Amino acid sequence: MKNCCNRLPEMSRRGLLQTVSAGFGYLAFAGISAEAAARDASPLAPRTPHFEPKAKRVVFLCMSGGPSHVDTFDYKPKLQADSGKELSVELPNAPGRSRYGTLLGSPWEFRQRGESGLWISDLFPEVARHADDLCLLQGMHTDVPAHPQAFLQMHTGSSQFVRPSLGAWTLYGLGTENADLPGFISLSPPSSNGGAQNYGSAFLPAVYQGTPITFRGGPSAGGVPDIANPRLRSNAQRRQLDLVQAFNRSKLDHDGPDPQIEGVIASYELAFRMQDAVPEVMDLGSESSETRSRYGLDEQETAGFGRQCLMARRFLEAGVRFVEVCQDGWDQHRNLKADHERQARAVDRPIAALLADLKGQGLLEDTLVIWGGEFGRTPVSQGPDGRDHNNKGFSYWLAGGGVKRGYSHGATDEYGREAVEGKVHVHDLHATILQLLGFDHERLTYRYAGRDFRLTDVHGRVVREILA
């Protein structure tokens, strides 16, 4: 009697190897598919904005302390002509009260630069070579003439409440293009004037907060503390991390969704990957001597900010969405001439090199470069050689990323006291930045505490006059 059970078909050795190899291919494909699915499910996966963006990434050159607009990018011939005369001015910290101050003309010459003829002072001779790429905002203003409040409003849109930062909103909207690097990095952020709030995510999920990078021995040294673990090899660290993550996921399974725990899980994984990716991006040893010279890495005055600008370029090239490069020390209530010159020398050449490299690589077209501080300075002197805070009128400049080139928008009055034309509030600046990134600032929202929040709160107007 024949066996009624089904028999396996006979297979040759060659056929067996072909089938097994196809199985390996299927397993590999399944692994790749699972990895892609996990990447797509990640809150940091690249996302499509509301409409076609002009800019895909941002670098914010943050001048902490309040650089003087009337000494840098806002030429005031009337101020020069009337220098030494008395002027009634409102006290910055006492609205409605005024005093007489002495007008202080700028100690630096202003010249028209490039084919566009933008007026830029001799404080920035290298940046001035890129005048035809700059878009000056001459009518900026903000709410409070105090560093902590103005600095926070510049970064988060609010001077009163804990709110997500501009970089966090950018990452929330766009996701990241490199899973091994943070999507938002702040280089040498100041510890004062809001501290971590300036790169924080507030009520947005923790994965969208910025990663601060400080430097062992200062920016010119370039060493990042605790980027590697000297006690454990990578495989041992991976086993240790797997155990910790198992506890974290068990907590999630037991208690249900928790953005804080989910953020911890994501940040641990990112930190593990960063150990390999970050040192490679930050290793400037492969850069040519010519590049090092252009960024000023071999000179003490420019080495710190130059290293940060070069790192910023490399981070942008590697897919980081938002990079902030900070330079503190622009608060010249006295010693204006000496200290503003020192500050400008530190940043002028590195910024010019960054602009040149981005343009040369074709990245400036879709990279938005932002330069500015939390406010400007008064046209009257404070003491013999200083200027007080001025929140009512100051300058910013933008470059690349869909803004007009060689263009000046808005104006302060004849002395630079107050914005009078083309006024741009910080909320308007934020709305415009989001517009360039492809977002309607009124639609990029997050539900929290029973209502939808946005970067611009209930304010903000897109400055369409500067859009290319």
Side-chain angles (χ1 to χ4, degrees):
M1 186 176 179
K2 291 184 178 181
N3 190 340
C4 63
C5 296
N6 293 330
R7 298 177 60 188
L8 291 173
E10 293 184 3
M11 184 176 290
S12 67
R13 179 174 175 272
R14 177 175 296 176
L16 178 64
L17 289 174
Q18 288 175 337
T19 302
V20 170
S21 64
F24 285 137
Y26 173 78
L27 289 174
F29 175 76
I32 293 172
S33 299
E35 181 180 337
R39 185 169 61 248
D40 291 341
S42 167
L44 292 173
R47 284 185 290 282
T48 303
H50 297 148
F51 42 82
E52 186 67 25
K54 299 289 187 180
K56 297 179 179 178
R57 63 197 73 83
V58 176
V59 56
F60 178 24
L61 306 171
C62 175
M63 305 292 107
S64 175
S68 171
H69 56 298
V70 295
D71 294 303
T72 54
F73 297 98
D74 193 4
Y75 178 44
K76 294 299 172 189
K78 180 70 170 173
L79 177 62
Q80 299 302 102
D82 291 348
S83 184
K85 293 183 178 180
E86 295 294 303
L87 180 73
S88 177
V89 293
E90 184 178 282
L91 294 174
N93 295 306
R97 296 179 57 194
S98 62
R99 64 172 171 82
Y100 279 93
T102 304
L103 289 169
L104 177 63
S106 178
W108 296 279
E109 291 286 335
F110 276 74
R111 308 173 197 275
Q112 287 186 285
R113 316 286 181 153
E115 295 181 4
S116 59
L118 294 182
W119 289 94
I120 300 174
S121 89
D122 287 347
L123 269 178
F124 287 98
E126 298 298 326
V127 170
R129 299 178 189 274
H130 297 271
D132 292 336
D133 290 312
L134 304 186
C135 179
L136 301 183
L137 300 180
Q138 303 287 31
M140 288 293 301
H141 62 106
T142 190
D143 292 342
V144 182
H147 294 292
Q149 293 90 337
F151 205 75
L152 274 171
Q153 187 168 45
M154 176 177 67
H155 281 85
T156 71
S158 175
S159 62
Q160 299 171 299
F161 306 106
V162 178
R163 294 290 184 261
S165 60
L166 170 62
W169 280 110
T170 301
L171 190 56
Y172 167 67
L174 290 177
T176 184
E177 294 181 322
N178 189 328
D180 296 331
L181 290 172
F184 169 23
I185 292 174
S186 182
L187 298 172
S188 295
S191 58
S192 58
N193 296 331
Q197 287 186 50
N198 293 302
Y199 52 84
S201 60
F203 48 71
L204 289 179
V207 293
Y208 300 118
Q209 68 186 355
T211 298
I213 296 181
T214 55
F215 299 89
R216 182 185 288 116
S220 58
V224 180
D226 305 319
I227 193 62
N229 188 335
R231 299 182 180 181
L232 292 176
R233 294 182 178 179
S234 180
N235 58 349
Q237 276 188 275
R238 182 68 258 180
R239 292 196 301 272
Q240 184 185 69
L241 180 58
D242 286 343
L243 177 62
V244 173
Q245 298 291 58
F247 291 141
N248 289 331
R249 292 190 179 96
S250 177
K251 175 74 171 172
L252 278 179
D253 291 341
H254 183 269
D255 296 346
D258 186 327
Q260 290 186 327
I261 296 178
E262 291 165 358
V264 166
I265 291 172
S267 66
Y268 283 1
E269 293 295 338
L270 176 59
F272 180 79
R273 298 192 300 272
M274 281 172 59
Q275 292 179 111
D276 293 326
V278 169
E280 181 179 347
V281 175
M282 297 181 66
D283 181 8
L284 306 182
S286 61
E287 298 290 349
S288 68
S289 58
E290 186 272 338
T291 297
R292 295 178 61 87
S293 176
R294 286 191 299 106
Y295 280 85
L297 267 58
D298 300 322
E299 296 185 22
Q300 184 174 357
E301 277 189 320
T302 52
F305 198 78
R307 181 175 290 274
Q308 291 182 94
C309 281
L310 185 49
M311 287 180 185
R313 190 207 77 193
R314 293 169 67 102
F315 279 126
L316 293 171
E317 292 169 342
V320 177
R321 289 290 192 190
F322 195 106
V323 182
E324 180 175 26
V325 186
C326 302
Q327 173 76 359
D328 200 1
W330 288 92
D331 192 22
Q332 268 74 72
H333 293 273
R334 61 178 184 272
N335 298 327
L336 174 74
K337 189 173 189 306
D339 289 348
H340 253 47
E341 281 184 352
R342 175 177 50 81
Q343 291 295 112
R345 281 197 302 269
V347 305
D348 183 39
R349 190 199 301 183
I351 291 173
L354 176 62
L355 290 172
D357 278 0
L358 291 175
K359 189 172 183 179
Q361 297 176 20
L363 287 174
L364 189 59
E365 288 297 316
D366 56 9
T367 300
L368 181 63
V369 183
I370 307 167
W371 181 96
E374 62 267 43
F375 41 57
R377 317 297 298 191
T378 57
V380 298
S381 64
Q382 186 176 33
D385 180 28
R387 299 191 191 276
D388 205 350
H389 304 168
N390 183 6
N391 66 304
K392 293 190 173 183
F394 56 99
S395 301
Y396 258 59
W397 61 254
L398 311 178
V403 299
K404 290 180 179 178
R405 302 169 61 245
Y407 183 72
S408 181
H409 174 73
T412 54
D413 61 54
E414 59 187 0
Y415 293 132
R417 290 176 298 182
E418 186 173 352
V420 293
E421 296 177 15
K423 297 176 70 171
V424 178
H425 190 274
V426 171
H427 294 309
D428 304 327
L429 177 64
H430 288 165
T432 306
I433 291 169
L434 292 181
Q435 175 79 18
L436 292 167
L437 291 169
F439 294 104
D440 179 341
H441 72 105
E442 295 183 351
R443 291 168 53 203
L444 185 65
T445 62
Y446 187 83
R447 190 79 175 171
Y448 173 72
R451 77 172 178 95
D452 291 335
F453 282 82
R454 53 186 170 95
L455 172 62
T456 51
D457 195 28
V458 295
H459 311 283
R461 175 190 71 88
V462 176
V463 188
R464 298 193 180 276
E465 296 90 336
I466 71 169
L467 305 183

